[in-house]
Amino acid sequence: MHQLRATPLHDTWKRPMTSHQPRHQPPRPLQHLTPSPLPECDQQRRQFSRSLMTTALTAGAMLMTHQQVSAANVSDSLGREVMRLHPKGLLNALLPFGGGDLCTLAWSADGTRLAITEGRNIYVHDTERGTQLWQLKKLVGGGQRGLAFGPKGDVLVSGPTIAGFERKDLVVTLLDAASGKVLKHLSDTIPKYASNMAHFFSLSPSGKLLATVLVAPGENINIYDTSSWEVVQRIRRSVDDNGRNTGVGLVAIDEALGIVVTDNIVADGQVNTWDLKSGKRIASFKASLTGLSSMALDPHSGWLITGSDGWSRGGPYSQGESKEWINDAQETQVRAWNPKTGAQVQTYLAPGVKVDSLSVRGDGKYLFGLKARSLLRRTPAYLLAWRMSDGKLMAAKSLDQSTDGGAALSPDGKRLAYAVDGTVRIIELDAALFQ
């Protein structure tokens, strides 16, 4: 009788399952997680690994294990919950699969309104009464990736994830913040064979400038004047130092610093800094062994804060540089850099894996972040807070549940909103802890 033999998954894929560690084995140290790149990238990756190890020796704690970080003398509370919002209704939040998908949160400048995205839908709530002011469903695009209130609070800017099927030239959509009515679609010419996907944008700290990018390699970084919503600068990105197209996944802009910062999804963890006036690239450096999932510019220190996604997919994203899955050091995935030189200036230790969001308090004293839950590594989601100057972990709240990925600090720095299991929770930060 013919017998069927099950083929293990790693035999089928012909790659070692380095990311799946048996329960009885401790996590591998960082030096064993460094990939084996092609010769042309070997020097860059080795330099980055040496930089991480040097920082570890200086800080004395970069390679702390998950248990050591958790056992540190850190508060498990950031403050008191004062409000819980149910954008999709209370029943949806209570159902086993009714929550989720609440991705991006944005506060109005006066802190009285909170905008929330869920797929192609947008909800705006009154943060004083907890009531929903309006909702807009099935907005153009396959899902709203970015969200921000304009400088005057009268416009809500939204960036779709995929718009090529409905409107190929769409970049971002401007909505009336009071009613949700579509005011205007900002558009751009997309090359014939480019994909109109993942529209990322960033408002400058003053709100005067808006930087927009597309994931499509070789496209422009468009700078808009928010008073007229007209393009005032186009930065043409083409190829990186290795001759590869520079597809962008994240962007941050600061007119006072005179820079625009983008990542490069073609080369995982690569960061490019562009001069705002000349449009020339002034720095290019490696910020992570894997891809970046979050970044923020601090106008006070001038630092760039980056958060890693924790994993490199290998294959097309890494241009075949490694046949193995790559891990970044779990506790050191939040890092600060001088964006004009590429020098690392601080590391923010914390448990958790993928960094879903980063927010710097207005006075530049504290950094807040949200790390997603990892089923593979069996770690919960964490809401985190650090002191910016020395990287001290001030609070680490385990959320246990799978977060939806959104967190945002209010403009006055007194409240923090985060999405979890179909609800948005607003906490009043501990004034004694965050002075």
Side-chain angles (χ1 to χ4, degrees), residues 349-412:
L349 297 170
V353 189
K354 178 188 175 185
V355 184
D356 272 340
S357 66
L358 292 169
S359 301
V360 181
R361 201 170 79 170
D363 58 6
K365 290 184 178 180
Y366 298 101
L367 171 66
F368 297 86
L370 179 68
K371 285 191 176 184
R373 179 186 182 190
S374 172
L375 294 176
L376 186 60
R377 293 189 180 183
R378 300 180 294 279
T379 59
Y382 283 94
L383 199 60
L384 305 159
W386 300 268
R387 191 161 55 201
M388 278 285 293
S389 59
D390 59 4
K392 179 182 178 181
L393 182 63
M394 304 295 294
K397 176 180 176 61
S398 172
L399 302 178
D400 295 326
Q401 310 100 323
S402 58
T403 59
D404 298 329
L409 187 67
S410 64
D412 61 6

Side-chain angles (χ1 to χ4, degrees), residues 21-36:
Q21 298 293 331
R23 290 177 179 271
H24 63 277
Q25 292 185 4
R28 295 183 300 171
L30 178 61
Q31 56 265 33
H32 295 303
L33 299 179
T34 304
S36 300

Side-chain angles (χ1 to χ4, degrees), residues 67 79 94 138 240 256 315 332 334 343-344:
Q67 290 78 11
L94 295 176
K138 296 184 179 180
D240 61 15
T332 66
V334 179
Q344 184 175 350

